[in-house]
Amino acid sequence: MTFALRLSRSIDRLLTLVAKLGGVCVVLLILAVCYDVVTRYFGVPKVLGLTSTILQEAQFWLHSFAIVLCIGYAYIRQRHVRIDLIREQLSVRARYWIEAIGCAVMLIPYAILGAWLSYPYVARSFALGETSRSQNGIDNVWILKSGLLALFVLIGLAGLSVFLKAVAGLAGRLPEDMRAETIDG
Amino acid sequence: MADYLPALMFAALAILLFSGFPVAWVLGGVGLAFGVIGILAGEFMFVQFSTLPSRIYGGILESLILTAVPTFVFMGMMLEKSGIARDLLNCLTVLLRRVPGGLALAVTAMGTVLAATTGIIGASVVMMTLLALPVMMDRRYSPELATGTIAASGCLGILIPPSIMLVIMADLLSRSVGTLFMAAVMPGLLLAGLYALYIVVRCGLNPALAPPLAADVGPRGVWPMARMVLRSFIPPVILIFMVLGSIIFGLATPTEAAGVGAFGATVLAVLNIVVLPAMGIHGVEIDPGAQAARTPPGARWRHFRQTFAEVIDNTILTNAMIFGIFIGATLFSYIFRALGGDGMIIGFVDALGLGSWGLLTLILALVFVLGFFFDWIEITLIVLPVFAPVIAQLDFGDHVAARDVVYWLAILIAMNLQTSFLTPPFGFALFFLKAVAPEGVRLQQIYRGIIPFVLLQLLALALVVAFPAIALWLPRGLLD
């Protein structure tokens, strides 16, 4: 059990680290939009060969990475929406059961299916050397598509982390200060 | 058996959502499970699963318009966490001190102007409650009036642009975000105007409901007042009008406006936290307890950095929450359709034999009931795709031009959802308010206080149903 909790904590550290990158993507996204607007509407020349097409594609690239790198993290921070109506009446033990079963039969299989389907999708893009749809866009589209793989691997890891904590909770081995991050209260 | 699969799928979703497991994962899990059941029943083939990655990629990752979501969230969070929102509310309160119900009017005005703030109902109601309710209770406002005003104004954010919900609705219905924003302006102002009128009339007739501000609060004289307005009112209002104006007048796309707005909000935050205090220009405090909480001179940049980190963290979490559901719903609605769900819905609706008006009523009633349990994120992402084929069939003849039906309907759904969030005993905006309200505010008072606002909303909804021009006049006037 100690090992399981150590594993869960390591996963959480990884997810937190990766989400920081997602935060950087949001900052870069805002800067990319502003740079695009300033150069397009106010006649400031563009530098480094950055065209409007590249900047606009960079915007959805950055947003994509902000999404895929943070969805798993949002789970360990308990920021995914839950319908609380019945849940509020349930005992802590029942909530651990729901979390453990939910991770085992819904989230983890969903993540595995997603990752398994995404892999050939990314591999095909890589093998074909898929380029941007528009001329002068950002090529190497497989990097963007591999975001899908990252997404499903990360939510799978988040599911594993919460599953381990919930099982520890059922066994009465979960430290009190980790309860909120497992079942949100 | 196979004919009932889509219906079973919906039932399974509904039941499992009430387990309290995160919505995003339930959507994905139910989608996967019914894909497998479909394979066993011979209704679905495993290879059909393989289009899932391209659906997520094409629908979400590759979308330029959806990049407006995190930047709008960032802008709202920055205005809130940097104290700009609080300064604005305090400033409005001082400005409106001679008007009956001035503090309540300030809350309404703030809900209208800062509608962008997060766009998530729970979060904006909580923010407004924390900012305004203690001050209102301190001023001995009637708890009914105070809580009603806060809950109703906090919900304006899903309708008044830049509403994140409208961005996502436009994306799902393949319509222009700019046009939908324009269509939302007049109905939003109509609602805010009705609230303001109600507050002024009610407090004018019964001044005991809303005692005025204490005489010693806020600046006196022309110059100090002007300085307060220049400091706390003009900058955020200009920022928001520039962001909205550039979208509405077609100068910039929502993505561009949101990105520049996020940058502008950051600049305002630096001014508010670092530059202005260093010049000795402080915001007005009307809550005596907050005066002491001022940042000491040496710590201002650190305060800004902390605020910035907090805004980023909240932005990525909110964005992840929205898109987690978006991705789960993509799998769910794809399987639902592959199992014949579209046909089932259309068949069901045809069997009811309702005309377009009957269908409109049905959709609004359904959304109203769902709003008791779910936030707009789940409702728009699950219900809209399912009803899209039905929506496409709606025909209101001369009442609404065919090309405008979808815009009109989206506005009606947004207005209707607000009402749903506020209607006792389920309306969940009320629970969020109760959760952070000061001791002594009772749920019954909140229930009583919200009823007039719910009636005003129903009136506004009826007006927009009867006169679609309220919504469509602005986009048609500007675009044609």
Side-chain angles (χ1 to χ4, degrees):
Chain A
M1 198 51 80
T2 342
F3 171 75
L5 283 178
R6 263 217 318 272
L7 177 61
S8 165
R9 281 207 178 95
S10 313
I11 292 174
D12 291 357
R13 269 199 298 276
L14 172 74
L15 291 170
T16 309
L17 193 71
V18 166
K20 291 247 181 331
L21 281 177
V24 173
C25 288
V26 171
V27 177
L28 291 177
L29 164 64
I30 293 169
L31 293 176
V33 175
C34 291
Y35 183 71
D36 187 29
V37 167
V38 169
T39 50
R40 193 134 44 102
Y41 295 113
F42 300 99
V44 178
K46 288 190 161 63
V47 294
L48 306 171
L50 291 172
T51 61
S52 253
T53 320
I54 291 186
L55 282 168
Q56 284 184 5
E57 295 201 349
Q59 288 161 27
F60 65 72
W61 276 61
L62 288 165
H63 183 219
S64 295
F65 282 105
I67 294 172
V68 299
L69 298 179
C70 298
I71 291 184
Y73 170 66
Y75 188 33
I76 61 162
R77 288 284 305 273
Q78 293 300 335
R79 287 289 286 268
H80 283 295
V81 187
R82 299 165 181 274
I83 308 304
D84 274 334
L85 216 59
I86 294 175
R87 191 180 153 77
E88 280 171 356
Q89 330 291 330
L90 296 177
S91 67
V92 170
R93 213 176 154 69
R95 295 189 205 181
Y96 281 134
W97 273 114
I98 288 173
E99 218 60 24
I101 296 173
C103 285
V105 307
M106 288 199 271
L107 174 53
I108 294 175
Y110 168 49
I112 292 174
L113 175 84
W116 196 44
L117 296 173
S118 301
Y119 179 71
Y121 184 66
V122 178
R124 196 165 54 240
S125 171
F126 181 73
L128 295 175
E130 187 180 358
T131 55
S132 169
R133 244 184 257 185
S134 45
Q135 265 185 333
N136 316 323
I138 304 178
D139 292 333
N140 289 317
V141 174
W142 67 273
I143 299 176
L144 178 56
K145 289 190 169 174
S146 61
L148 284 172
L149 207 53
L151 165 73
F152 286 110
V153 170
L154 291 172
I155 63 174
L157 286 173
L160 179 62
S161 168
V162 174
F163 174 78
L164 293 173
K165 280 183 237 171
V167 170
L170 283 171
R173 303 280 291 275
L174 188 73
E176 196 57 24
D177 61 323
M178 287 171 79
R179 193 173 111 187
E181 60 192 90
T182 312
I183 52 168
D184 195 16
Chain B
M1 164 70 192
D3 295 348
Y4 298 112
L5 274 182
L8 280 177
M9 189 173 176
F10 234 99
L13 175 71
I15 291 167
L16 287 171
L17 283 179
F18 283 104
S19 72
F21 196 59
V23 175
W25 312 149
V26 174
L27 282 165
V30 172
L32 170 65
F34 276 79
V36 173
I37 294 173
I39 293 171
L40 296 177
E43 294 286 310
F44 187 77
M45 284 178 298
F46 188 79
V47 290
Q48 287 176 281
F49 265 135
S50 62
T51 63
L52 181 67
S54 67
R55 276 165 192 277
I56 299 172
Y57 177 77
I60 299 169
L61 299 191
E62 215 187 7
S63 160
L64 187 57
I65 206 70
L66 291 175
T67 61
V69 173
T71 35
F72 274 136
V73 172
F74 180 99
M75 177 176 135
M77 291 274 178
M78 188 55 95
L79 292 177
E80 181 198 332
K81 306 254 180 236
S82 63
I84 293 171
R86 202 188 61 220
D87 281 350
L88 177 62
L89 179 69
N90 291 344
C91 174
L92 285 167
T93 306
V94 172
L95 288 178
L96 293 167
R97 70 193 310 164
R98 299 200 193 288
V99 185
L103 189 46
L105 282 179
V107 169
T108 309
M110 184 142 109
T112 314
V113 176
L114 277 191
T117 312
T118 76
I120 311 297
I121 291 305
S124 52
V125 169
V126 165
M127 181 197 90
M128 299 277 272
T129 309
L130 292 176
L131 283 183
L133 194 54
V135 183
M136 291 172 108
M137 300 313 290
D138 192 51
R139 292 317 316 147
R140 308 202 161 281
Y141 261 62
S142 127
E144 283 87 352
L145 180 74
T147 54
T149 308
I150 290 173
S153 309
C155 286
L156 279 174
I158 60 169
L159 177 63
I160 295 183
S163 149
I164 299 165
M165 176 170 114
L166 295 183
V167 175
I168 289 180
M169 273 189 159
D171 180 73
L172 288 172
L173 296 166
S174 327
R175 291 301 197 281
S176 140
V177 179
T179 311
L180 194 53
F181 273 10
M182 276 188 254
V185 169
M186 297 303 288
L189 292 180
L190 172 68
L191 269 179
L194 284 173
Y195 296 167
L197 193 67
Y198 164 75
I199 292 166
V200 172
V201 170
R202 185 95 201 274
C203 299
L205 292 175
N206 185 359
L209 290 175
L213 220 52
D216 61 336
V217 169
R220 298 267 131 188
V222 177
W223 169 235
M225 283 290 258
R227 197 171 80 159
M228 175 190 75
V229 171
L230 272 176
R231 181 199 192 282
S232 304
F233 182 79
I234 303 283
V237 171
I238 287 187
L239 176 73
I240 285 162
F241 275 88
M242 273 171 47
V243 167
L244 288 186
S246 60
I247 301 171
I248 286 173
F249 294 106
L251 300 174
T253 65
T255 309
E256 291 164 349
V260 176
F263 187 80
T266 313
V267 173
L268 290 190
V270 173
L271 285 175
N272 210 47
I273 296 175
V274 183
V275 179
L276 291 173
M279 293 163 65
I281 306 174
H282 295 281
V284 185
E285 272 313 339
I286 53 174
D287 185 358
Q291 202 96 31
R294 242 173 221 169
T295 316
R300 288 186 188 126
W301 274 111
R302 200 173 65 224
H303 180 189
F304 172 73
R305 280 201 303 276
Q306 279 165 354
T307 307
F308 191 79
E310 207 181 326
V311 168
I312 289 284
D313 195 46
N314 275 297
T315 303
I316 58 175
L317 287 168
T318 304
N319 196 49
M321 182 268 278
I322 294 172
F323 285 98
I325 295 178
F326 213 139
I327 291 168
T330 304
L331 174 63
F332 180 88
S333 54
Y334 169 59
I335 305 280
F336 182 76
R337 250 179 255 141
L339 294 175
D342 274 4
M344 190 194 78
I345 295 273
I346 293 182
F348 173 71
V349 165
D350 284 350
L352 288 175
L354 299 165
S356 286
W357 284 103
L359 281 178
L360 178 71
T361 314
L362 178 73
I363 293 173
L364 291 183
L366 184 72
V367 166
F368 187 79
V369 173
L370 289 173
F372 287 158
F373 309 106
F374 306 119
D375 204 340
W376 62 263
I377 306 168
E378 298 93 311
I379 297 175
T380 35
L381 289 172
I382 302 170
V383 175
L384 270 193
V386 166
F387 273 90
V390 180
I391 292 171
Q393 291 181 345
L394 293 175
D395 176 14
F396 294 93
D398 292 340
H399 191 67
V400 185
R403 59 173 181 167
D404 289 337
V405 167
V406 171
Y407 293 113
W408 181 57
L409 185 74
I411 299 300
L412 292 180
I413 290 178
M415 297 180 77
N416 188 26
L417 266 181
Q418 281 189 53
T419 317
S420 171
F421 293 155
L422 292 171
T423 301
F426 286 114
F428 71 77
L430 308 176
F431 295 119
F432 278 109
L433 195 154
K434 174 75 180 93
V436 290
E439 300 254 333
V441 175
R442 285 177 303 128
L443 199 57
Q444 287 88 334
Q445 291 174 321
I446 299 177
Y447 283 173
R448 273 204 303 276
I450 198 64
I451 289 170
F453 290 93
V454 169
L455 294 177
L456 289 175
Q457 286 181 339
L458 292 176
L459 171 66
L461 183 68
L463 284 173
V464 179
V465 169
F467 305 103
I470 297 172
L472 302 171
W473 170 78
L474 188 62
R476 287 301 152 235
L478 284 172
L479 292 177
D480 288 351

